[in-house]
């Protein structure tokens, strides 16, 4: 489940990549930001996060999130959350989603991106406070520190920083979840790769919006195009 703008974009990247059988992907965001989620991706709108985590507004927000999880992810064996803790939506609803999982005895973890060095102090304070709170409650949280490692991204322009961070979230998530989605037959043979490939969305790639890849060049490594959604789009008719 992608929470907030960055989390939703990471969820869309994972949706484009496909390849993980049994994986259900959901993006949630609050307010008008929900309109930015591509229509091809299952999504739901949340109330704006309350200013304090108690009171009537917090109760209504939590009940809305719980209802969305019940409706879209019923029967899930594991909940994995992707988000950026610098935004209020990610900071608040990540804790609420992990609490839901705890109350339902559902294994859960969150992969959270932390702000870049150039982000404002309020964004950094929000992220640090949220991370401290999540860890104090003993939730399983993995953090990607953009401030510490952002200077290693291939493109150092500020415009490319956020798309690269989203890709970092998504690629790390795919690696994390891959082991849990491998299919093994009774004889212990290797997973059926043909079956795994069928989890890729059966949608013409030309019809998919570029989403986070708009105006962002593909990533190349040793001459190979690593932007697989673009690769599929370009070769979908071959």
């Amino acid at each position: 489940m992608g929470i907030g703008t960055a989390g939703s974009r990471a969820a869309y990247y994972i949706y484009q990549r496909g390849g993980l059988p049994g994986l259900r992907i959901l993006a949630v965001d609050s307010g008008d930001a929900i309109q930015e989620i591509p229509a091809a991706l299952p999504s739901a709108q949340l109330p704006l996060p309350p200013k304090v985590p108690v009171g009537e507004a917090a109760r209504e927000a939590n009940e809305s999130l719980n209802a969305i999880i019940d409706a879209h992810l019923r029967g899930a064996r594991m909940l994995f959350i992707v988000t950026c803790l610098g935004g209020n939506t990610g900071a608040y609803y990540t804790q609420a989603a992990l609490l839901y999982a705890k109350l339902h005895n559902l294994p859960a973890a969150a992969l959270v991106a932390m702000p870049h060095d150039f982000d404002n102090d309020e964004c950094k304070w929000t992220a640090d406070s949220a991370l401290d709170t999540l860890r104090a409650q003993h939730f399983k949280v993995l953090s990607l520190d953009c401030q510490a490692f952002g200077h290693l991204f291939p493109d150092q322009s500020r415009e490319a920083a956020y798309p690269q961070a989203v890709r970092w979230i998504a690629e790390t998530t795919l690696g994390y979840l891959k082991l849990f989605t491998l299919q093994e037959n009774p004889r212990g043979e290797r997973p059926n790769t043909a079956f795994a490939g069928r989890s890729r969305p059966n949608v013409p790639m030309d019809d998919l919006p570029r989403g986070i890849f708009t105006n962002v060049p593909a990533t190349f490594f040793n001459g190979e195009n690593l932007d697989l959604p673009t690769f599929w789009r370009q070769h979908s008719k071959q």
Side-chain angles (χ1 to χ4, degrees):
M1 181 167 66
I3 298 180
T5 301
S8 296
R9 291 177 177 176
Y12 182 53
Y13 183 104
I14 295 168
Y15 175 87
Q16 288 181 304
R17 283 287 302 271
L20 295 181
L23 180 65
R24 281 182 282 172
I25 304 174
L26 174 67
V28 295
D29 208 343
S30 59
D32 294 337
I34 191 71
Q35 300 174 7
E36 299 181 8
I37 299 177
L41 182 67
S43 63
Q45 183 172 3
L46 292 166
L48 291 172
K51 294 182 179 180
V52 293
V54 294
E56 184 65 16
R59 184 187 65 79
E60 292 180 355
N62 291 355
E63 288 181 352
S64 177
L65 175 67
N66 294 350
I68 288 171
I69 296 176
D70 286 339
H72 292 270
L73 302 176
R74 182 179 297 276
R77 298 175 60 195
M78 175 183 179
L79 178 65
F80 194 79
I81 299 163
V82 292
T83 192
C84 177
L85 288 185
N88 291 327
T89 299
Y92 180 84
Y93 281 108
T94 297
Q95 180 181 0
L98 290 172
L99 179 60
Y100 170 95
K102 181 178 180 180
L103 294 176
H104 289 78
N105 295 317
L106 180 65
L111 179 67
V112 303
M114 303 298 285
H116 291 80
D117 184 59
F118 56 77
D119 284 317
N120 60 50
D121 291 340
E122 181 180 359
C123 178
K124 294 176 182 177
W125 182 88
T126 298
D128 289 339
S129 298
L131 185 61
D132 289 343
T133 299
L134 294 173
R135 288 179 170 168
Q137 293 181 324
H138 305 290
F139 290 132
K140 306 298 186 294
V141 182
L142 300 86
S143 64
L144 301 181
D145 193 338
C146 294
Q147 183 170 348
F149 296 99
H151 68 281
L152 299 175
F153 289 155
D155 189 337
Q156 287 299 299
S157 66
R158 183 170 295 191
E159 294 76 14
Y162 294 114
Q164 289 175 124
V166 166
R167 182 174 292 176
W168 190 17
I169 297 171
E171 294 288 359
T172 303
T173 299
L174 288 166
Y176 185 98
L177 294 177
K178 185 175 182 180
L179 180 64
F180 300 104
T181 59
L182 292 177
Q183 302 295 313
E184 183 173 304
N185 61 37
R187 292 179 294 178
E189 296 174 352
R190 296 181 63 181
N192 187 329
T193 55
F195 172 79
R198 288 202 299 271
S199 67
R200 192 175 72 189
N202 186 22
V203 178
M205 291 299 156
D206 288 340
D207 294 339
L208 286 178
R210 285 187 57 78
I212 64 171
F213 304 106
T214 302
N215 300 322
V216 178
T219 299
F220 286 85
F221 182 74
N222 289 341
E224 180 183 1
N225 184 348
L226 299 184
D227 183 353
L228 293 184
T230 296
F231 178 85
W232 286 336
R233 184 179 294 106
Q234 292 172 346
H235 294 77
S236 61
K237 296 181 180 180
Q238 297 183 5

